[in-house]
Structures are given as structure tokens and as C-alpha cells.
Amino acid sequence: RFHKKDKAKFYYNARGSVFEVAHWIDIAYGRKIISIAVGEKWMETLRRFPKQINILIKLTSENLKQ
């Protein structure tokens, strides 16, 4: 079974996962597992995702009201 609410929940989980990855990138940099250049490159990519995911959450929520 699939419901639109499941889709919204998936997006919330995805957004949380983005923040978790950012946290682990910080830890990896602090432990000198990755270089600052690699960490910054990954963080730059990650910074775009929450905004895009928020748009998907908003659109899904609006579609639920219809």
C-alpha cells in the first residue's frame, strides 16, 4: 500500500538524513579522515538538499489538502 502521507514522511526522513550526513562529515574532518577540501566540497553539495526537500514537503502537503 502507498499513501501520500507516506511520501511526506519519506521526505522528512530524507531531510533528517542530510543533516546526519553533514554531522558525520564534520566528525570525519575533525578526526582527519578527510581533508578540508573534500569536506567543504561535500558540504557545499549537501547545503542545497534541505531547501529542495522542503519544497517537496510543501508540495506534497498542499496536494494532501486537495
Side-chain angles (χ1 to χ4, degrees):
R1 294 184 206 164
F2 178 77
H3 195 273
K4 287 183 181 179
K5 288 184 180 181
D6 294 331
K7 194 175 196 179
K9 185 174 182 342
F10 173 80
Y11 293 143
Y12 281 110
N13 289 339
R15 187 177 60 187
S17 294
V18 169
F19 292 122
E20 185 177 359
V21 169
H23 169 75
W24 283 108
I25 289 171
D26 285 340
I27 289 174
Y29 171 69
R31 293 179 181 175
K32 301 191 185 319
I33 297 170
I34 60 173
S35 68
I36 191 165
V38 170
E40 286 296 320
K41 183 177 178 182
W42 289 350
M43 291 299 279
E44 181 181 325
T45 302
L46 283 175
R47 283 187 191 106
R48 291 180 280 166
F49 291 138
K51 186 174 182 180
Q52 294 170 344
I53 294 170
N54 284 338
I55 291 169
L56 290 171
I57 291 169
K58 182 180 176 187
L59 292 173
T60 303
S61 296
E62 288 174 358
N63 286 337
L64 281 172
K65 293 177 186 176
Q66 295 177 354

